[in-house]
């Protein structure tokens, strides 16, 4: 299975989702992108939370634009917010829309809460539901 996670800037939620997916389900190929990517990497809090909770290093992450990705290469495209889903509507037959609050600039507790929400959503997506 190949999954693309899409958020706004590709610095918090979608790279975090990829790291969590890799940690929980290493056989699933996951990538991330943003509809308006910015910065040169994942935020410091994203890197810290993913490293602390999942032991995964995200310091090499580079934000990328969803328009540079061939969506047909993926079995699922998962958006982090409904407005992102509306942006991508009609671009992929298996578009899944989540409502994940953006933790950007909200402190580490918000990032931890986001990671826990993403973990549960990913477990539900893959079917374990734990």
């Amino acid at each position: 299975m190949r999954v693309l996670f899409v958020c706004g800037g590709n610095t918090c939620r979608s790279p975090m989702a990829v790291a969590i997916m890799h940690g929980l389900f290493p056989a699933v190929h996951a990538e991330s992108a943003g509809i308006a990517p910015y910065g040169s990497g994942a935020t410091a809090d994203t890197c810290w939370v993913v490293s602390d909770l999942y032991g995964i290093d995200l310091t090499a992450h580079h934000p990328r634009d969803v328009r540079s990705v061939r969506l047909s290469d993926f079995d699922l495209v998962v958006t982090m917010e409904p407005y992102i889903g509306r942006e991508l509507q009609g671009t992929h037959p298996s578009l899944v829309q989540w409502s994940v609050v953006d933790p950007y600039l909200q402190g580490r507790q918000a990032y931890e809460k986001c990671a826990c929400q993403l973990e549960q959503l990913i477990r539900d997506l893959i079917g374990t539901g734990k």
Side-chain angles (χ1 to χ4, degrees):
M1 175 182 280
R2 295 176 56 85
V3 180
L4 177 68
F5 293 103
V6 184
C7 67
N10 194 219
T11 61
C12 302
R13 294 168 293 177
S14 58
M16 195 181 302
V18 168
I20 293 168
M21 179 68 84
H22 288 162
L24 296 174
F25 304 101
V28 175
H29 176 86
E31 295 182 27
S32 70
I35 61 168
Y38 59 89
S40 59
T43 66
D45 284 331
T46 298
C47 292
W48 179 84
V49 166
V50 168
S51 176
D52 189 52
L53 297 179
Y54 301 96
I56 296 170
D57 182 5
L58 271 183
T59 56
H61 172 75
H62 295 287
R64 70 176 174 167
D65 196 311
V66 71
R67 292 172 292 218
S68 71
V69 178
R70 196 165 71 201
L71 298 181
S72 62
D73 287 346
F74 296 90
D75 301 304
L76 289 174
V77 174
V78 179
T79 66
M80 297 292 132
E81 290 187 61
Y83 86 89
I84 299 168
R86 288 189 297 275
E87 275 292 310
L88 298 179
Q89 196 168 19
T91 61
H92 196 277
S94 297
L95 185 68
V96 176
Q97 296 182 50
W98 290 346
S99 291
V100 179
V101 176
D102 191 350
Y104 185 65
L105 298 179
Q106 302 300 313
R108 288 195 178 161
Q109 188 173 22
Y111 283 81
E112 290 172 348
K113 185 176 179 180
C114 180
C116 289
Q117 181 184 12
L118 286 169
E119 180 176 335
Q120 186 58 55
L121 288 165
I122 288 167
R123 287 185 185 281
D124 291 344
L125 181 73
I126 301 304
T128 64
K130 290 183 183 175

